[in-house]
Amino acid sequence: MSGITYQRGREPHPKEHRVVFRNVDRVGWDTGIDTFLKEGGYEQLKKALGMERSAIIDEVKKAGLRGRGGAGFPCGVKWTFIPPGNTKPVYLICNADESEPGTFKDRYILHQDPHQLLEGMIIACFAVGAKLAYIYIREEFPEAAQIVEKAIAEAHAKGFLGKDILGSGFDLEIYVHRGAGAYICGEETGLIESLEGKRPYPRIKPPYFPAAMGLYLCPTIVNNVETLCHVKHILEMGGEAWAQTGTKNNTGTRILCVSGDVKKPGYFEVEVGKVTMGEVINDMCGGLKDGRKLKAVIPGGSSAKVLRADETFTVGRGDDARQLTIRDIPMDFDTMAACGSMAGSGGVIVIDDSRSISWVLNNLNNFYAHESCGQCTPCREGSLWMKKITDRVVAGKASPADIDTLYGVAKNIDGRTICAFGEACSWPTESFVEKFRDELVADTKPELEGALVSAEPLTAAAGLR
Amino acid sequence: MSEPTKTDLVDVQIDGVWHQFPKGTRLIEACRQVGVEVPHYCYHPKLTSPGNCRMCLVETGMPPRPMPGAEPPQPDESGHLPISWIPRPVIACANTVAPNMGVRTTGPITEGCRQGVMELLLANHPLDCPICDQAGECTLQEYSVEHGKGESRFREQKVKKPKNVEVGPRVRLDDERCIMCSRCIRFTDEIADDPVLGFTDRGSHTVLAVYPGRELANNYSLNTVDICPVGALTSNDFRFQMRVWFMRETQTIDTNCATGCNITVFSRQNRIYRIVPRQNNDVNSDWMPDSHRLNFHWIDSEARLTDPMLKVDGVHRTATWNEALSVAAERLASLSGSEIAVIASARMTNEELFMTSRLVKLLGAGHVETVPRQGEADGYLVSADRNPNTNGVKLVLGLENPGSTLDRVKSGIEQGRIKALIVLQENLVDDAGFSPELLGKLDFLLATYPIANPTTGLADVVLPGACWAEKSGTMINVTGRLQRLNKAVDGPGQTREPWEIVRDLVHALGGGNGIYSVTEVFKQLAAEVPEFKGLSWGQIGDLGLPLIETGETIPALEREKERKAAGIIVG
Ligand SMILES: Cc1cc2nc3c(=O)[nH]c(=O)nc-3n(C[C@H](O)[C@H](O)[C@H](O)COP(=O)(O)O)c2cc1C
Ligand code: SF4
Ligand code: SF4
Ligand code: FES
């Protein structure tokens, strides 16, 4: 990036393409509005206010921007789901709950470039006709909340928020709302319930699709922090030009968060589909720790199905069919789905051969048992049951038959719950059992088959009631 | 709502058979309409649908969507498109019918879901059925038989939760039995406007709790016990009293006020153990007030009158019915009609009132009146009129403004104009402000009542009259609906139903009648009272029928209608 210097040791990797993270770790950059304005801040807002609303939505559609929160749903299409002829207020919510394990990108935007988010949000609000918007920030980000609050006050003072923004006649207020520490508040309808002051019990869809019946049962657009930031850049570059970055149907850049068994874990903004898993692990993250071998990768946040290091993946159809190793997989939405997993929230968790698969799975199951909201039967009862089984596997108190039960419980959750947490909690178990059955079984004892194993292992019981 | 027109109907295939349903029909209701039961826990047509239990998951399908450029699917001979079945099941309680949709309530997907949900619901359930009040009427038990696996794979320790929690004066909670369907929470919030219940904690550790410092004390609290599909919420009153399968059920109505909530009386060996509301969407929906439901223990009271009694030398002695009736007839015959007043009760049935009108005619009684019972309406089901059959009094006894002339009766006695009083099923001293001194002025007092009271204490002839649970007949509620009261238990000792007592009195006075059953009374009543013209006893059925327009409404039903119209509930 010409003219930009980054803090020493935090320079972007040459394979990165920084757009949203342009100012992250930048020398001389701060969160103040003056700094932001010096770099052309809020210019895109000015431009947007002079455009037709539908024209902005068209640009976002042309860009092909897909949601960066997890599901990868086309953003511009979502915006058009607001019922035509709607007379109710429209709300926009920025999902800053960032709680998918393995994901740590939104926090840097909130901490280091809050005005970028605000500009993107204000444009988005103008485009969808929202006069009130919320930024739902997870409880664990107290500093981020303060920074964003300050940025909102600054934007207000400069007339980018409030009544009659920049003389356009458009009014908008943005409020920060703090979560209380629950993963499920990241699920958009759980978030909405929480924002309404209730328990974050996700709503059934149908009928409660947020774009039609969201906050206070009014049309509501929920977008991830990173998604909303891109809106600003789409206006700046134009939708078509923006779509030139990344690959077809997987346009733009996205931030990958790599954690686990690599030498240099961290965040990397890359063009979607332009780098492979091998490049991410070996180049950008400096490879595996010395003497270790790659065992598995969870490619899109803890909910994504695990990929085994020695698997071959067949992607594409007919003449386009290709075989890929894990290292060849381009980091994009569609290929990751074709490989049987998902690009999800961009959290790449690397697991090397020093890890016990039983331990890894138990760690994940612990999280999901703790975070299930408890509203619907399969997830409520199944998530804790799975954890209890893997507790026993880790403690050497399980039999091989327990692995079948474990898999059966996951299958009884998958696809049968109110919200996608059901998949989030069952996919790890399903994929680990499918792909690492031998290792799990190796931690069990055939002689325990049918035995009544009464007590929970103390170690695990201490961690969670 | 107007009848659906052809275009409002959609074709839906349920288990291989095509049917038509109005647009917007929930799948679970569509299935029910064609006799296919979809198991469910959280769904209740009178409450919002959270879709949380997942018991109602079914496999569905829609016409295939052709690839761009491909041939569109062709309809078969019956005009329906082929169905492409979707592997992901949907909840039947909240999803609605769509054109050319297919629903399968059998087959591996649906059955797998049911089996899976049952296994998960039972995983942490205490399985203490042997000592659970709900046993025998528990949907967890029922669906285990129908949809469960019959064996458990659960080998972990169950989650421990609070037991025997007093959530209010009348309701107790066992959190380990709770399946978290949230019906009770929704009821207290949406119907009773008293949102004191809620869940706390997360995941499998979720517990139902009452808000700190509050209690579930509203007058509808026991309805939560009725709608709880399991034994998590139990009634302090009924707890551990009787296994449900030993009890006999009688469909009848509540007589504590003019609403006439439809109820089922549960009894065994002539003893009532509990009363629960019975669904009638034109009267009480699915609910009833606690105060009415629990008002039955006095039926077993020691103070029940069991035999006719005659006062001889200031002391009551038991008598046979013949003896008592002939004494009464003799004394009454010695007076002129204008000296006799009859005080009947608006708690009496139409049949009883009809016989009373015959008695009045026969005696040429100078005055007939009933005792009013006015309270405050509660804005839900409890009517301001605490008499169950004021409309019957108007129609059958012909009183225009029942209860308005009691003072004239009092002054008539005071002035000696009225010398004899026939008091039917009322306690004038306690409930109508007749002082014992006043009643002492009478030459003759006859009183019927279920229980000994100050009025019967003064009576020359005391006749034990059956209470509401011990008799049959009809009543007309506040909205003008004719409803049937059915006898649940026999009255104690020599007790007779009031219509019989009045018939016998008429007989003893020389008015032959030849009426041997309450249905015969109804037949004669239907022949004589114009509003009843052409009606038969059987026609009234268990849910009653609208008889007259009163212009009155039942607030709880009005709210239900609004919620139904707004699409919030199925209704
Ligand atoms: C269990 C669960 C947790 C989620 N957590 C988050 C989160 O922390 N942040 C987020 O942006 N989206 C999260 N999502 C996705 C949101 O529901 C929603 O799809 C997303 O915010 C939409 O934004 P996007 O279209 O911009 O990606 C979660 C979804 C589920 C099912
Ligand atoms: S799937 Fe889990 S998190 Fe989602 S609503 Fe059901 S219990 Fe709650
Ligand atoms: S107590 Fe009963 S009604 Fe209430 S949530 Fe639990 S199971 Fe449902
Ligand atoms: S009845 Fe509970 S989810 Fe449908």
Side-chain angles (χ1 to χ4, degrees), chain B residues 40-43 51-56 91 93:
Chain B
H40 58 278
Y41 289 110
C42 69
Y43 173 72
N52 60 30
C53 74
R54 317 307 282 178
M55 191 62 203
C56 68
I91 47 174
C93 65

Side-chain angles (χ1 to χ4, degrees), chain A residues 66-85:
Chain A
R66 292 173 67 168
R68 304 302 197 230
F73 193 83
C75 180
V77 178
K78 186 190 279 190
W79 290 4
T80 56
F81 286 161
I82 295 175

